[in-house]
Amino acid sequence: MQAEWQKEAAMADASDEFASLRAAFILPEGVYLDGNSLGVLTVAARDAVQNALIGEWGQGLITSWNAAGWIDLAARCASRIEPIIGAVSGTVAVGDSTSINLFKVLGAIALKAGERRRIVTDAANFPTDIYIAEGVVRLLNSARGPGEHWQVECYDRSELFAKLDERVAAVVLTEVDYRTGERIDAAAGVRATHAVGAQFVLDLAHSAGALDVDLNHWDVDYAVGCGYKYLNGGPGAPAFLYVAPRHQATFVQPVQGWLGHAAPFEFAKGYRPAPGIERAQVGTPAVLSMTALYAALGVIQGVDMRRVRAKSLALTDFFMRVIEQSGLAARGLVNVTPRDPARRGSQVSFRHPQAYGLVQALIQRGVVGDFRAPDIARFGFAPFYLQFSDALKAALAIADCLKDGELLQVLDADRNAVT
Amino acid sequence: MQAEWQKEAAMADASDEFASLRAAFILPEGVYLDGNSLGVLTVAARDAVQNALIGEWGQGLITSWNAAGWIDLAARCASRIEPIIGAVSGTVAVGDSTSINLFKVLGAIALKAGERRRIVTDAANFPTDIYIAEGVVRLLNSARGPGEHWQVECYDRSELFAKLDERVAAVVLTEVDYRTGERIDAAAGVRATHAVGAQFVLDLAHSAGALDVDLNHWDVDYAVGCGYKYLNGGPGAPAFLYVAPRHQATFVQPVQGWLGHAAPFEFAKGYRPAPGIERAQVGTPAVLSMTALYAALGVIQGVDMRRVRAKSLALTDFFMRVIEQSGLAARGLVNVTPRDPARRGSQVSFRHPQAYGLVQALIQRGVVGDFRAPDIARFGFAPFYLQFSDALKAALAIADCLKDGELLQVLDADRNAVT
């Protein structure tokens, strides 16, 4: 069995159209299946940040705003993200964090919502999306007198669309579930949301850079996403925000800072939003962090995301197949990631009673995944730098670890020590 | 005259108690008087960012959240900022931009404002502070039905306190005027604001790291500030936010992201604010940029800010004195910075009809200041690394440039080409 898998992996790696990209990444020893939490460093980002640090900041100082192009660095990042998520030119802004960008989007929706005061989201959404929606609503309701208040409503994904009506302002969903790896049908979500006249907001945290995201085609209204996962922008890299072309003219977001002004260096008294998507910008961008993101995006410029998606699906399919054929279900490993490729993101997650201990045992063997409470072991497959032989190594390591139930139990006991 | 000035400068430099700190900064050639726009690189920041880039991110990857202490990097930065601004422990949070932090503060005030709906600020405040206040108000008013709306009111500094009444929720002032360099009396502002029961918010953009800021003593309610000016955190470094001890228990800010949650990694459904000032955090911090800030703050740990302030005042006093004694008023140079040390920040600004040309001519001579529309030439004095001989060189260069009126005119003609 193992020999067959090895042969299959070798063949797939030999015909991997992205193999030549691997040299652009500084890959750790072992198998890194946590690129959905923090993507790896690229050679380009390493060189660009050192140059920004020592040359641009250290020597150029203030002149680098123009000479090194810091002033339009955010816009240049945005231009590189747009093709990766199926967005037309001039629809993406880069900066701040995903949470803050979601606040801007929901604030912008609230400003135009009229009598619609419901924000509907998935009860299993990444918590910060729910917290942020609750924060916007808290602020709005603090200003309301008597009468109907804003509210955030969380439903199970299966019943969510049945709950929509003409009082809904926004539906907020994350394309790929951070725990199970399930991918939603965003285009269907848009249709159901538009049927009641509401706005569809999509969080691409676990999509951008791994899936064939097609925002324009799907007719998504607003989206946000993360720079430090599959886009490899580095720890806490700036995030992004998308506004559909048809909303551009009337998009006004409430966190209106000077860099979103039409002429920031006029220091004019009244806020006049920049003509385009630049109005989503707020304060001075974190240049060092943004430099890393820009360079990392350069590595994957021009790739066809449908081909990337095909490789990602092939990787996760192969990985799940090896796990299944190894009979690990009998050892308590339950795959919670959809087998149906249309419903799968770029990760595979398992439930296991000692999931924490399993993840720790794997790390000791050089296979890095992560644990998500209460009982999920999660493995992300970053398609640009992972190989089929990596997927096989990881699956075999899991099988090995599960055979040593005692070890898992010992390691799992440390779980409460985790911050 | 010149010989006397040179002697005075040499003596002052010889007894400069901060002279030994200069080696910690990577200083450009010439005289850099723009540290109030972008502080210089430190040796510590250069080394720390390279280590964070190549070691912590490149090799440590996800383990660096704990192993390299990324998870509490923001809190460690905050601990280093507190003594610099006269704040007690546990009152400062670091992250995001100054603009976003002001949004959080004004949002937090709005949540507790009751029937108070006026935000009062200085008409000459840095524009982004006014824009942000207008943005908060825009969002609040979008939710209000009929009745009194929130409003932002801008007054001249001289009449502002006379305009306060019990309908004022917040007074927002910047301690040092970014154009004129005038320092306000923050303690008096607090008293006038508290007299009507309102909250006093202070922007320390041009204060932190150069002035003897004393937030706790002055009884300031909230403050925000910038990491990339006198704190030398690097381009777009994370900013900070201060909440007075008495507001800590009830401080709730509306941009409530997962890193402000009491237990972010529980991924709990409801938002439960962190017990302390950590609740001001939102999303994942920009680690590379924050690493630079943390290292730069290390350089100035333990200094007595009253001594720093004394040096800053001596530098600007000497600089203004040389300018005055050179008779440059006759050449159209008007000092707009207060001579009274109690009313002066750490910069000196002049009006001149060809201020843009003057700044350009100075840059050609290696003296870097900056231009602020419509006619201000601005020179910042970062007290940790500037010497009295630098101040003298700059003043003499200004005198030289002003003698060549034709050059100024030629250079000034480029002004419209500036972005």
Side-chain angles (χ1 to χ4, degrees):
Chain A
M1 205 65 166
Q2 205 159 317
E4 269 174 54
W5 292 328
Q6 256 145 6
K7 200 171 146 196
E8 184 179 347
M11 279 182 62
D13 286 337
S15 63
D16 175 8
E17 64 189 292
F18 299 107
S20 64
L21 272 187
R22 278 172 56 86
F25 296 89
I26 299 172
L27 298 171
E29 296 287 306
V31 182
Y32 187 67
L33 300 181
D34 220 355
N36 54 337
S37 185
L38 175 63
V40 305
L41 176 63
T42 55
V43 173
R46 182 194 64 193
D47 295 349
V49 172
Q50 297 208 68
N51 180 53
L53 181 72
I54 293 164
E56 296 172 14
W57 176 18
Q59 291 167 14
L61 279 161
I62 202 72
T63 64
S64 291
W65 280 104
N66 289 310
W70 290 349
I71 196 68
D72 65 356
L73 180 56
R76 287 183 286 126
C77 283
S79 298
R80 286 185 167 180
I81 289 176
E82 283 160 353
I84 295 171
I85 56 173
V88 300
S89 179
T91 54
V92 169
V94 171
D96 304 322
S97 64
T98 311
S99 298
I100 289 172
N101 284 328
L102 182 59
F103 190 98
K104 296 177 200 168
V105 162
L106 293 177
I109 289 172
L111 289 175
K112 303 197 282 185
E115 294 303 306
R116 295 172 180 267
R117 296 196 192 91
R118 297 175 61 202
I119 296 177
V120 171
T121 188
D122 177 359
N125 203 342
F126 188 70
T128 206
D129 288 18
I130 303 176
Y131 304 158
I132 287 288
E134 287 172 343
V136 173
V137 161
R138 185 197 292 262
L139 191 61
L140 290 165
N141 286 339
S142 77
R144 284 195 67 73
E148 202 200 345
H149 276 54
W150 278 85
Q151 52 193 331
V152 178
E153 300 168 38
C154 300
Y155 298 109
D156 189 275
R157 217 169 289 158
S158 62
E159 56 164 8
L160 187 146
F161 293 111
K163 304 288 185 179
L164 305 184
D165 62 23
E166 74 295 336
R167 293 173 303 130
V168 173
V171 172
V172 183
L173 293 177
T174 297
E175 192 185 6
V176 176
D177 186 303
Y178 75 106
R179 275 175 301 213
T180 64
E182 182 181 349
R183 180 188 202 181
I184 64 163
D185 181 345
V190 171
R191 288 191 295 273
T193 303
H194 286 180
V196 298
Q199 308 292 314
F200 187 81
V201 182
L202 190 60
D203 182 338
L204 301 173
H206 289 271
S207 315
L211 272 65
D212 48 341
V213 178
D214 206 358
L215 293 182
N216 194 51
H217 215 227
W218 297 340
D219 209 15
V220 166
D221 295 284
Y222 301 91
V224 294
C226 173
Y228 56 78
K229 297 177 185 288
Y230 294 116
L231 297 181
N232 307 303
F240 65 88
L241 175 163
Y242 166 84
V243 178
R246 72 176 168 289
H247 296 308
Q248 291 283 334
T250 57
F251 172 70
V252 179
Q253 62 90 7
V255 193
Q256 46 186 53
W258 69 308
L259 281 193
H261 192 279
F265 291 94
E266 266 180 23
F267 301 103
K269 268 176 192 154
Y271 183 74
R272 204 169 78 243
I277 188 67
E278 287 76 16
R279 63 180 64 173
Q281 292 182 178
V282 186
T284 310
V287 169
L288 296 179
S289 289
M290 199 175 268
T291 295
L293 174 62
Y294 182 68
L297 290 167
V299 169
I300 60 171
Q301 277 312 281
V303 299
D304 180 342
M305 289 305 298
R306 288 166 303 185
R307 304 296 310 150
V308 176
R309 170 69 171 156
K311 181 181 169 188
S312 155
L313 283 175
L315 277 169
T316 49
D317 180 81
F318 177 60
F319 176 71
M320 291 192 292
R321 196 148 37 81
V322 175
I323 293 281
E324 279 157 20
Q325 291 172 0
S326 303
L328 298 181
R331 294 186 180 271
L333 198 70
V334 180
N335 181 2
V336 294
T337 301
R339 279 310 252 123
D340 174 2
R343 293 184 50 229
R344 187 163 81 238
S346 197
Q347 74 179 59
V348 178
S349 298
F350 305 99
R351 287 196 194 283
H352 189 276
Q354 275 112 30
Y356 179 78
L358 172 61
V359 168
Q360 292 308 109
L362 285 167
I363 288 173
Q364 292 184 359
R365 285 160 197 256
V367 175
V368 179
D370 60 21
F371 167 76
R372 283 294 174 261
D375 61 353
I376 284 187
R378 186 177 81 155
F379 305 97
F381 287 81
F384 291 114
Y385 52 81
L386 281 177
Q387 296 185 299
F388 291 82
S389 54
D390 294 322
L392 178 57
K393 274 181 216 154
L396 297 177
I398 291 171
D400 268 4
C401 289
L402 288 175
K403 278 178 202 146
D404 195 348
E406 202 174 319
L407 173 73
L408 293 194
Q409 211 140 13
V410 169
L411 292 169
D412 204 59
D414 293 337
R415 186 180 148 182
N416 292 329
V418 190
T419 51
Chain B
M1 205 66 169
Q2 205 160 316
E4 270 174 54
W5 293 328
Q6 257 146 7
K7 202 173 144 196
E8 183 180 348
M11 280 180 62
D13 286 338
S15 62
D16 175 9
E17 65 190 292
F18 300 108
S20 64
L21 271 186
R22 279 173 56 86
F25 295 90
I26 299 172
L27 298 172
E29 296 288 306
V31 181
Y32 187 67
L33 300 181
D34 220 355
N36 55 338
S37 185
L38 175 63
V40 305
L41 176 63
T42 54
V43 173
R46 181 195 64 193
D47 295 349
V49 173
Q50 297 207 68
N51 180 53
L53 182 71
I54 293 165
E56 295 171 13
W57 175 18
Q59 291 167 14
L61 278 161
I62 202 72
T63 64
S64 291
W65 280 105
N66 290 310
W70 291 348
I71 196 69
D72 65 357
L73 180 57
R76 285 183 287 126
C77 284
S79 297
R80 287 185 167 180
I81 289 176
E82 283 159 354
I84 295 171
I85 58 173
V88 300
S89 179
T91 55
V92 169
V94 170
D96 304 322
S97 63
T98 312
S99 299
I100 288 172
N101 284 328
L102 182 59
F103 190 99
K104 294 177 202 169
V105 162
L106 293 177
I109 290 172
L111 289 175
K112 302 197 281 185
E115 294 303 306
R116 294 171 180 267
R117 295 197 192 89
R118 297 175 62 202
I119 296 176
V120 171
T121 188
D122 177 0
N125 203 342
F126 188 70
T128 205
D129 288 17
I130 303 176
Y131 304 159
I132 287 289
E134 288 172 343
V136 173
V137 161
R138 185 198 289 264
L139 191 61
L140 289 165
N141 285 340
S142 77
R144 284 196 66 75
E148 202 202 345
H149 276 54
W150 278 84
Q151 51 193 335
V152 178
E153 299 167 40
C154 300
Y155 298 109
D156 188 274
R157 219 169 287 160
S158 62
E159 57 163 7
L160 187 147
F161 293 111
K163 303 288 186 180
L164 305 184
D165 63 21
E166 73 295 335
R167 293 174 302 131
V168 174
V171 172
V172 183
L173 293 177
T174 297
E175 192 185 6
V176 176
D177 186 303
Y178 75 107
R179 273 173 303 210
T180 65
E182 181 182 349
R183 181 190 200 178
I184 65 163
D185 181 345
V190 170
R191 287 191 296 273
T193 303
H194 286 179
V196 298
Q199 307 294 313
F200 188 82
V201 182
L202 190 61
D203 183 336
L204 301 172
H206 289 270
S207 317
L211 273 65
D212 48 343
V213 178
D214 206 0
L215 293 181
N216 194 51
H217 215 229
W218 298 340
D219 208 17
V220 166
D221 296 286
Y222 301 91
V224 296
C226 173
Y228 55 78
K229 297 179 186 289
Y230 295 116
L231 297 181
N232 307 303
F240 64 88
L241 174 162
Y242 166 84
V243 177
R246 71 176 169 288
H247 296 307
Q248 290 284 334
T250 57
F251 173 70
V252 179
Q253 62 90 8
V255 193
Q256 46 184 53
W258 70 307
L259 282 194
H261 192 278
F265 291 94
E266 265 181 21
F267 301 102
K269 268 176 192 153
Y271 182 73
R272 205 170 79 243
I277 188 65
E278 288 74 18
R279 62 180 66 173
Q281 293 184 173
V282 185
T284 310
V287 169
L288 297 179
S289 290
M290 198 173 270
T291 295
L293 174 62
Y294 182 68
L297 290 168
V299 169
I300 59 170
Q301 277 313 280
V303 297
D304 180 343
M305 289 306 299
R306 288 166 303 184
R307 303 297 311 151
V308 175
R309 169 68 171 158
K311 180 181 171 188
S312 156
L313 283 175
L315 277 169
T316 50
D317 180 80
F318 177 59
F319 177 71
M320 291 191 293
R321 197 148 35 82
V322 175
I323 293 281
E324 280 157 19
Q325 291 173 358
S326 304
L328 298 180
R331 294 187 180 271
L333 199 69
V334 179
N335 182 1
V336 296
T337 302
R339 278 311 249 122
D340 175 2
R343 292 182 53 227
R344 188 163 80 239
S346 197
Q347 73 180 58
V348 178
S349 298
F350 305 100
R351 286 195 196 283
H352 189 276
Q354 275 113 31
Y356 179 77
L358 172 61
V359 168
Q360 293 307 112
L362 286 167
I363 289 173
Q364 291 183 2
R365 285 162 197 256
V367 175
V368 179
D370 61 21
F371 167 77
R372 284 292 175 264
D375 61 354
I376 285 188
R378 186 177 80 156
F379 305 97
F381 287 81
F384 291 115
Y385 51 81
L386 280 178
Q387 297 184 299
F388 290 82
S389 55
D390 294 322
L392 179 57
K393 273 182 218 155
L396 296 177
I398 291 172
D400 268 3
C401 289
L402 287 174
K403 280 179 199 146
D404 194 349
E406 202 173 318
L407 173 72
L408 294 194
Q409 210 141 15
V410 168
L411 291 170
D412 204 60
D414 292 337
R415 184 181 148 183
N416 293 328
V418 192
T419 50

